[in-house]
Amino acid sequence: MSEIGFHIKEAGELSDDEFNALRRHYLVYAWAERDEHRNLHKDLDAIYTEIDGLVARGELLPIVNSLNTCGRIVIFSTESSTLALREFQQAMLVEDKTVHLVAEDSPSTAMLDTLTPNDLLIVVTTSNGFARRQRAVIEQCHAYKVIVTASEDPALHAIFDDVLAFGKDASEGSSLHRIYATFGVTYFFDRLFAQYARAFDPLL
C-alpha cells in the first residue's frame, strides 16, 4: 500500500474503490506466484543484491555525508511507508540524529517549505507515483533533495539532486511493487544506517 494515496483505515471505513485497490495491492504477488511462478526468495535476493551493489559502488556515500552535515533531515513519503521508516528513525537517534518523518497528508508537510539548502529532504517513492503527486511541493522545497525509488522516470528524477534507485520497474499494480515497497525500502534504510554508523560512530 506504500504508493496508494489514502490513510490506513479499518475495513469498514474503506470505499469500494479503496478496498479493491488495497485487495489488489496485497494479492497481486500471490497471483503472480500462482500464475507466473514467481519465487519470493529469488525476488528478494535480486532486490537485496541491487541494494548491496549501491553500497559496494559507493553510491550511498553522498547521502551518508549529507546525513552527517545537514541541519535538518526530513523523509517525505506516504503515510503507510512511514511504518517501514520508523526503524531507521529510531536507529539514527542512537547516532544523535533526529529524522523527521513527514507523511503525504500530514499537517507537517508545511515543514518542507521551511527547509533550506543546508537541510536534507529524502523522498521515498517506490513506483514514483507519490513523487508525481507531490511534485509541486517537492520542487518548491529548497533542501538538498534525494529520491529513493525502484522505478525509472528521468523527467521526474531531474528535479532531485541525487537519485538512489534499487530497481527499474516497480510500478503501481505490478507484481513486485509491494515487495519493493516493503522489503526493499526496509533493507535499503538498514544498509544506509549501517553505512552511516561505520563512517561516523566511534565504536565502529
Side-chain angles (χ1 to χ4, degrees):
M1 192 171 64
S2 295
E3 299 287 317
I4 297 173
F6 55 84
H7 290 291
I8 298 170
K9 301 177 180 178
E10 298 295 331
E13 297 176 328
L14 297 172
S15 69
D16 288 345
D17 287 344
E18 289 176 331
F19 180 81
N20 288 333
L22 189 63
R23 185 172 186 272
R24 175 174 175 77
H25 176 77
Y26 283 106
L27 287 178
V28 67
Y29 191 82
W31 293 332
E33 287 180 306
R34 180 194 65 193
D35 300 333
E36 303 168 21
H37 307 292
R38 295 214 72 97
N39 181 285
L40 181 59
H41 193 288
K42 289 181 179 178
D43 286 333
L44 290 177
D45 276 351
I47 292 170
Y48 296 159
T49 297
E50 183 65 31
I51 294 170
D52 287 345
L54 293 176
V55 175
R57 293 189 298 271
E59 293 183 38
L60 297 190
L61 294 180
I63 190 174
V64 166
N65 289 326
S66 294
L67 286 167
N68 184 56
T69 60
C70 66
R72 286 178 290 176
I73 304 164
V74 176
I75 300 180
F76 188 35
S77 70
T78 61
E79 180 176 317
S80 52
S81 288
T82 62
L83 299 176
L85 295 166
R86 291 191 197 284
E87 183 73 10
F88 178 73
Q89 182 186 46
Q90 291 293 318
M92 290 299 289
L93 283 176
V94 307
E95 300 296 332
D96 199 29
K97 288 289 178 178
T98 299
V99 175
H100 303 277
L101 301 182
V102 176
E104 182 172 21
D105 297 322
S106 166
S108 57
T109 54
M111 175 186 287
L112 273 62
D113 292 333
T114 71
L115 299 180
T116 74
N118 294 320
D119 300 319
L120 173 65
L121 176 68
I122 304 172
V123 176
V124 180
T125 173
T126 309
S127 71
N128 291 319
F130 165 69
R132 291 189 195 105
R133 291 195 302 272
Q134 296 295 328
R135 179 168 183 156
V137 173
I138 295 166
E139 284 187 301
Q140 291 169 8
C141 179
H142 298 296
Y144 185 84
K145 295 188 278 276
V146 177
I147 185 170
V148 176
T149 183
S151 296
E152 293 183 323
D153 189 336
L156 174 69
H157 296 170
I159 71 174
F160 292 89
D161 299 295
D162 198 1
V163 177
L164 293 171
F166 58 92
K168 295 182 178 180
D169 189 25
S171 58
E172 289 186 43
S174 72
S175 59
L176 284 173
H177 175 246
R178 183 179 64 85
I179 307 305
Y180 274 101
T182 303
F183 301 102
V185 168
T186 300
Y187 188 71
F188 176 90
F189 279 92
D190 179 86
R191 295 298 82 203
L192 179 59
F193 171 73
Q195 288 289 293
Y196 184 90
R198 288 191 183 103
F200 299 108
D201 193 309
L203 297 179
L204 288 177

